[in-house]
Amino acid sequence: MSQPPFSQKFPDVVVAGLGETGPQPADGRSIAEMVLAAVQAALADAGLGYDDIDAVVTASVDLFDGLTASNIAVTEVVGAVMKPETRIDGDGLAAALHAACQIRAGAYGVVLVVAHAKPSMADFQNLSEWALDPIYLQPLGLDFLACAGLQASAMAAADPAAPERWAETAARRLNAADGLAEPCTAAQVLESALVATPLRAGMCAPLADGACAVLLRAGGPGPRITGLGHDLDAHLPGDRDPAAWPGLSRALARALKGAGSAVSDRVFDLAEPSCFYAHEEELFVGATGLGPDTEISPCGGLFGGAVPVAAGLTRLQAAAQRLRADPDCRRALVHGSWGPAGQGQVVAILEAGP
């Protein structure tokens, strides 16, 4: 006898509360102050208090915060004193999936998920060099931006017209995001500074400070996480296909299976990918097999402000808000990634509540 779908075997995981500070180029608040504001907003949105939280899952990276055990800096403001807490050293969406598994296992009824980053405190790309292999890669001066450039270079070598498409994608996402005084054009993107051949500055989502908090609970009204999956590819970029995200394909297959869907069932009304660079949107579409009927990042995605570590959780928040507000949007695919050139991949399938 076949096993019932994962989503039917365990309690529904509902997105009950949403809160974030909003991406800002340089937030004058401390990390703890940013996180507190996001948590308070999520609690108010869910109509809950700190006493209602059973456990906490946070996402942060010591290297980027300049701290040892960076989650300790926010223990009090996330309400984790004398409560179970897990810290995920990766994307915030991975933290949300960890929390979802805790709820599905019946361990907790309400779990708070929080992610934060403050790249304005230090040069993020320089710090990212230290996240790479110390023997073979660090001596070359590689960082996350250089790895993205190598990836884009491999794609452009196979398709010389690709950079023009990326410029169009970047302009479209920037125009969809809030805060632009004048519309951006693809020509302007192509004229921006070359930062990692063939990537131009305009093809890179602007880094931002921010904190994001999401309350998950077992059952109740609201969007549900019905499928989840993650994958970790080889750390060395040279050991992977430079122009593809096979890890994302594997993660999505697991999420679809967990949601009780056929692996070929890739029908989504909305997709919110974590694309720090314009060329990554092509990688995302290629790996997921999404069709033209899926709306991708209608509000600009990370081009409205990319908060490292918290990026995937902000995409979960954007998708949940859309599912709440738009009755025609019933199913969404949320994506997060981390590491050099998308080494880590994580996805969640969200469906509108009854």
Side-chain angles (χ1 to χ4, degrees):
M1 180 180 296
S2 61
Q3 291 289 329
F6 195 44
S7 58
Q8 296 178 15
K9 188 178 179 181
F10 298 106
D12 283 344
V13 178
V14 174
V15 180
L18 305 171
E20 63 177 320
T21 60
Q24 299 185 38
D27 196 312
R29 293 171 290 185
S30 68
I31 287 174
E33 288 172 322
M34 290 194 313
V35 170
L36 176 61
V39 171
Q40 289 178 330
L43 288 170
D45 184 47
L48 300 175
Y50 278 104
D51 291 342
D52 298 308
I53 299 172
D54 298 321
V56 179
V57 183
T58 60
S60 61
V61 176
D62 297 356
L63 175 66
F64 299 145
D65 283 358
L67 299 169
T68 300
S70 55
N71 59 309
I72 300 302
V74 299
T75 298
E76 290 84 2
V77 295
V78 300
V81 177
M82 302 298 291
K83 285 186 179 180
E85 181 203 355
T86 306
R87 199 278 288 266
I88 301 297
D89 190 4
D91 185 76
L93 185 59
L97 266 58
H98 184 94
C101 288
Q102 292 178 322
I103 292 173
R104 281 180 163 173
Y108 309 114
V110 178
V111 182
L112 173 66
V113 185
V114 181
H116 72 263
K118 206 167 189 293
S120 68
M121 293 195 305
D123 190 315
F124 174 77
Q125 296 300 348
N126 280 347
L127 287 174
S128 72
E129 180 180 332
W130 290 86
L132 295 169
D133 178 84
I135 305 300
Y136 298 104
L137 299 183
Q138 285 186 21
L140 300 176
L142 285 180
D143 56 23
F144 285 1
L145 176 59
C147 289
L150 290 171
Q151 187 175 59
S153 181
M155 296 171 68
D159 183 0
E164 294 183 3
R165 293 198 307 274
W166 303 338
E168 293 172 356
T169 297
R172 186 165 60 252
R173 298 293 167 239
L174 286 167
N175 290 330
D178 294 330
L180 278 184
E182 297 181 1
C184 177
T185 67
Q188 290 174 323
V189 173
L190 290 171
E191 292 170 359
S192 61
L194 196 63
V195 293
T197 306
L199 292 180
R200 302 275 175 176
M203 298 176 185
C204 308
L207 294 177
D209 297 351
C212 184
V214 173
L215 269 166
L216 302 181
R217 71 180 174 203
R224 298 169 297 135
I225 298 178
T226 58
L228 46 88
H230 82 281
D231 194 90
L232 191 64
D233 217 326
H235 179 67
L236 293 175
D239 290 344
R240 298 184 245 144
D241 183 345
W245 272 351
L248 176 54
S249 298
R250 295 189 293 266
L252 177 56
R254 295 183 183 111
L256 289 168
K257 183 178 180 180
S261 303
V263 174
S264 60
D265 180 15
R266 305 190 179 209
V267 178
F268 296 93
D269 300 308
L270 172 70
E272 285 288 354
S274 293
C275 295
F276 284 82
Y277 309 98
H279 75 277
E280 290 184 336
E281 188 166 317
E282 288 192 2
L283 293 172
F284 173 79
V285 173
T288 58
L290 296 182
D293 293 335
T294 300
E295 191 176 12
I296 299 177
S297 299
C299 294
L302 297 188
F303 276 76
V307 182
V309 184
L313 198 60
T314 68
R315 298 304 90 215
L316 175 66
Q317 187 143 179
Q321 289 172 336
R322 176 69 179 275
L323 288 170
R324 283 178 173 183
D326 185 355
D328 293 328
C329 185
R330 305 297 299 172
R331 196 171 188 234
L333 177 64
V334 183
H335 164 251
S337 69
W338 68 96
Q343 178 196 7
Q345 299 286 340
V346 60
V347 295
I349 296 173
L350 264 66
E351 296 186 21

